[in-house]
Amino acid sequence: MSPRSSKSPRLTISELSHTVINALSFRVEYRRGSGGTAMFQRQVRFQIDLSDVSNTHSPRDYLFAIIFTLHSGNIRRFRRVCEHIQTQMCARKAPPSPRATRKFNTDLSESSSCGSDTSERLSPYVNIRNGKYRMVFEKAYPCQSTNSIQYNVYFSKKTSNITEMKGNFTYLIPLDDTLTLEINAASRSLMGGWKPNSMVYISKHACSSLKIFLGNVWNSIVKSFNIHNNSCLGTYISTGINVKELEDHNFPKVYYYGKYKVLYKIKNVENKLLGCLAFELNLIRPWEKPN
């Protein structure tokens, strides 16, 4: 799906309607329940934004990050809608027809009790702010995996104005395009927990995709960790890389401000988790100072 097309993108999921804001933004409403008052209808309103991700290695290949933002409705139902859309887009076959997607309704159905539907309901009047940002890294730590690929890094203050990422990478198997890259950003909720799927990216070509998304960050990491071969086998140690160099990436340059936990995962064709690294960071306005 490309915004350069002369035809507007079409959503073919039953009971899902949308309006076009501009070529890269849509307001979407999922409404389950026919007729009656709004009390007995299950509504989720959210926005979809497409953000162009530049590909420095192959400018003719267009890549887009798809950002889902909940405006109002049940969070669990919103997550299921997003996961269903993600499944349709990542499937090898074309999305099914609207008639075939009727089965989707049963997958989304939940208890009709008022408590479960309103306990996680957000107000449509929440002021969501987004724009260009600065990244403030707080934590980095490995998450559970088979440890075939190990990431042991941490952040350390060098001076009052300079923070560095230090540690080591260990590759017991090569990082190549036979593996799958998964990136999932979870946003911090008002209740203190993490809400996954703020941004999701999955690619079956882990190495090539990682180079594209990291952009100049890839070169900085290769230099800092002294990775001297393409197979990446072995252990590579960094004495320190300035975290400001980690901001020169190809991820969307405009995003929603707040705290995020980003999970970086490498899987094989059997869907086994070979390596996992978590980052906790804040996206703040360019003129703001970190807390």
Side-chain angles (χ1 to χ4, degrees):
M1 181 172 63
S2 171
R4 292 170 174 83
S5 172
S6 59
K7 296 182 179 180
S8 297
R10 297 182 63 188
L11 297 176
T12 58
I13 298 176
S14 180
E15 297 177 340
L16 197 70
S17 61
H18 76 285
T19 56
V20 178
I21 302 175
N22 54 52
L24 298 176
S25 298
F26 308 87
R27 285 196 182 96
V28 185
E29 180 176 2
Y30 169 77
R31 178 176 297 181
R32 179 165 172 77
S34 57
T37 62
M39 179 183 300
F40 299 101
Q41 293 178 348
R42 302 176 181 180
Q43 300 178 3
V44 177
R45 295 185 177 92
F46 57 99
Q47 182 167 321
I48 297 178
D49 297 293
L50 305 182
S51 179
D52 191 358
V53 180
S54 60
N55 185 343
T56 57
H57 296 274
S58 182
R60 293 185 179 181
D61 293 338
Y62 298 115
L63 295 176
F64 296 90
I66 303 178
I67 304 168
F68 297 83
T69 305
L70 177 64
H71 285 182
S72 66
N74 183 273
I75 294 177
R76 289 190 296 248
R77 190 171 296 115
F78 167 69
R79 183 164 58 244
R80 292 183 181 182
V81 172
C82 293
E83 289 172 350
H84 182 74
I85 295 175
Q86 175 188 337
T87 300
Q88 296 296 315
M89 297 187 64
C90 294
R92 294 183 179 180
K93 297 181 180 180
S97 65
R99 185 182 300 275
T101 56
R102 295 296 297 179
K103 183 179 179 181
F104 171 60
N105 295 334
T106 60
D107 296 334
L108 282 179
S109 62
E110 294 181 355
S111 170
S112 59
S113 66
C114 295
S116 64
D117 192 58
T118 58
S119 60
E120 291 181 290
R121 183 169 296 279
L122 299 181
S123 167
Y125 304 105
V126 174
N127 188 13
I128 302 176
R129 298 180 180 273
N130 68 313
K132 294 183 178 180
Y133 57 83
R134 290 173 52 207
M135 303 175 70
V136 180
F137 293 92
E138 295 185 347
K139 298 178 183 178
Y141 48 89
C143 27
Q144 188 173 5
S145 69
T146 64
N147 287 327
S148 299
I149 299 177
Q150 302 170 23
Y151 299 101
N152 300 298
V153 295
Y154 60 96
F155 297 113
S156 175
K157 278 278 190 182
K158 184 177 182 179
T159 67
S160 58
N161 297 322
I162 299 177
T163 300
E164 294 182 327
M165 184 177 74
K166 298 182 177 182
N168 62 80
F169 300 155
T170 299
Y171 296 91
L172 303 181
I173 60 172
L175 175 62
D176 55 30
D177 280 352
T178 65
L179 304 177
T180 297
L181 168 68
E182 291 189 12
I183 298 176
N184 192 308
S187 58
R188 191 74 168 178
S189 72
L190 297 177
M191 302 298 293
W194 294 106
K195 298 186 294 183
N197 304 326
S198 172
M199 182 176 68
V200 179
Y201 176 76
I202 301 175
S203 173
K204 294 184 179 299
H205 307 286
C207 186
S208 297
S209 299
L210 193 60
K211 291 179 181 178
I212 292 171
F213 272 91
L214 289 182
N216 291 328
V217 174
W218 174 268
N219 298 326
S220 299
I221 290 176
V222 167
K223 181 179 179 180
S224 176
F225 285 83
N226 194 26
I227 301 176
H228 48 75
N229 58 65
N230 293 328
S231 66
C232 292
L233 286 172
T235 299
Y236 303 92
I237 301 174
S238 173
T239 56
I241 175 175
N242 194 323
V243 295
K244 289 185 178 180
E245 296 185 46
L246 302 182
E247 297 190 57
D248 194 9
H249 50 69
N250 288 331
F251 281 85
K253 301 302 182 183
V254 174
Y255 207 73
Y256 296 94
Y257 302 121
K259 187 171 183 177
Y260 295 89
K261 180 169 71 173
V262 180
L263 293 181
Y264 158 81
K265 301 178 180 179
I266 299 294
K267 296 182 177 181
N268 62 9
V269 293
E270 299 174 347
N271 206 37
K272 290 184 179 179
L273 186 55
L274 306 179
C276 182
L277 178 63
F279 288 101
E280 292 186 20
L281 54 91
N282 270 307
L283 299 186
I284 63 175
R285 295 165 184 81
W287 59 86
E288 285 184 317
K289 293 183 179 180
N291 294 330

